[in-house]
Amino acid sequence: DLRFYNPCGELLDIRIEYLPENTDNAGAELFFREFQLQANETRTFADIIEAIPGLVNPVSGSVRIGSGSDSGCKVLSVSRTFNDTPDGSLGLFVPALPVKRVGREFLDVTGLIHNQDYRTNLPLVNYSDAEVWVPLTAYDKTGAQVGSPRSVKVKGQSTKQLNAIAEWLGVAEDLAPFSVRAEIEGLDIQAFGTVVDNLTGDSVLYLSSFHDENQIWLAGVASLTGVNNSQWRTDLWIFNPTQEWLPGEIEFVVGDDPSESYGYEWPT
């Protein structure tokens, strides 16, 4: 599914293009669709095949989204990739990935799991026209390097997915949690992980972390009883991407009132 929302108070011109995975799409003639969204309009395409005329099954890749308006306001979008099984529908929501400037020449995907019950897949996105070799390294929860670093080639304007990334990097033992570092240059590469339940096939998206800000917010955390006696909790992974000790503080803010909070400062 592809879903688009126009948050602007004006008409938006939208262009979506399908880019096959692991294919050099730089300068290629792509299947595309152009349409317009009215102010505050939401539109859903039930299938990528429906969204972009000319596509036929099977397809595997990514969708490039462009939008324009007089004020520079941009469209918001999300996709859902799922399957239908006798036991229900399993899938994953993926928000559109922006190109973000990073202060360091690497991306870290953290909070990953590799054992009998879970595996982690690592997709990479190349926004440039040139193919890029991306060195990848895995670290366990103590910060020790595990497995054997390897590089993967991501073709221009394309994506590359590495299934069971821990095994691909030569890790044999269980890791929970662990982190993967992708060395990059500039704005060309984006990385994210999907942690997949080996029993149900359900998966959770882990976006890469950026080391630009000294304060970040994790919104929507909870520890309470919900509807139907469900029990909600929030797990928090903290990863140090440097070679030195980092002082820091975790602060829980109640609701939307920053004046009511509880803090924990870990030693330096």
Side-chain angles (χ1 to χ4, degrees):
D1 296 349
L2 296 175
R3 306 177 184 196
F4 300 91
Y5 170 65
N6 179 0
C8 316
E10 58 189 306
L11 188 72
L12 274 185
D13 294 314
I14 314 294
R15 179 184 173 99
I16 55 177
E17 301 171 320
Y18 169 70
L19 292 84
E21 183 180 16
N22 199 25
T23 303
D24 186 355
N25 296 304
E29 185 175 344
L30 302 171
F31 289 101
F32 70 93
R33 177 175 188 155
E34 295 178 326
F35 58 96
Q36 292 183 317
L37 284 181
Q38 300 293 330
N40 301 311
E41 179 186 355
T42 298
R43 188 174 305 180
T44 299
F45 295 102
D47 194 306
I48 181 65
I49 304 299
E50 170 193 323
I52 302 181
L55 287 184
V56 294
N57 283 320
V59 298
S60 177
S62 57
V63 174
R64 181 165 54 196
I65 303 165
S67 62
S69 65
D70 293 338
S71 67
C73 188
K74 300 296 183 183
V75 70
L76 302 179
S77 57
V78 66
S79 71
R80 182 176 70 133
T81 299
F82 67 99
N83 60 10
D84 289 318
T85 74
D87 297 323
S89 175
L90 305 171
L92 181 70
F93 277 97
V94 180
L97 300 176
V99 180
K100 295 184 178 180
R101 183 173 298 279
V102 295
R104 298 171 182 263
E105 293 185 345
F106 52 75
L107 300 172
D108 291 298
V109 186
T110 190
L112 310 179
I113 303 174
H114 171 72
N115 55 30
Q116 181 178 352
D117 297 323
Y118 295 94
R119 70 183 184 275
T120 296
N121 302 328
L122 184 77
L124 298 163
V125 183
N126 182 2
Y127 295 108
S128 71
D129 289 338
E131 64 182 34
V132 177
W133 282 92
V134 182
L136 299 172
T137 308
Y139 297 90
D140 67 14
K141 63 182 181 181
T142 69
Q145 180 179 311
V146 291
S148 302
R150 295 179 62 183
S151 294
V152 62
K153 180 172 66 176
V154 189
K155 297 181 180 180
Q157 297 292 345
S158 187
T159 55
K160 177 69 175 181
Q161 176 160 313
L162 300 170
N163 294 322
I165 182 63
E167 295 179 6
W168 190 83
L169 289 171
V171 176
E173 67 273 17
D174 290 351
L175 291 176
F178 75 99
S179 304
V180 172
R181 172 168 295 173
E183 297 182 31
I184 62 166
E185 294 183 2
L187 305 176
D188 293 342
I189 297 295
Q190 172 66 288
F192 60 98
T194 54
V195 177
V196 184
D197 188 318
N198 289 331
L199 300 179
T200 66
D202 210 0
S203 58
V204 179
L205 176 71
Y206 284 62
L207 293 175
S208 56
S209 301
F210 299 89
H211 193 58
D212 267 356
E213 303 293 336
N214 61 2
Q215 184 182 80
I216 60 173
W217 284 78
L218 299 175
V221 303
S223 178
L224 78 167
T225 300
V227 177
N228 298 326
N229 295 318
S230 61
Q231 298 295 321
W232 293 89
R233 78 174 195 190
T234 298
D235 295 340
L236 178 65
W237 283 272
I238 298 175
F239 173 67
N240 179 1
T242 74
Q243 298 297 317
E244 57 193 27
W245 286 98
L246 285 180
E249 184 180 66
I250 304 170
E251 185 177 33
F252 174 67
V253 177
V254 181
D256 57 358
D257 184 3
S259 65
E260 186 179 359
S261 62
Y262 305 88
Y264 169 74
E265 184 172 346
W266 62 81
T268 58

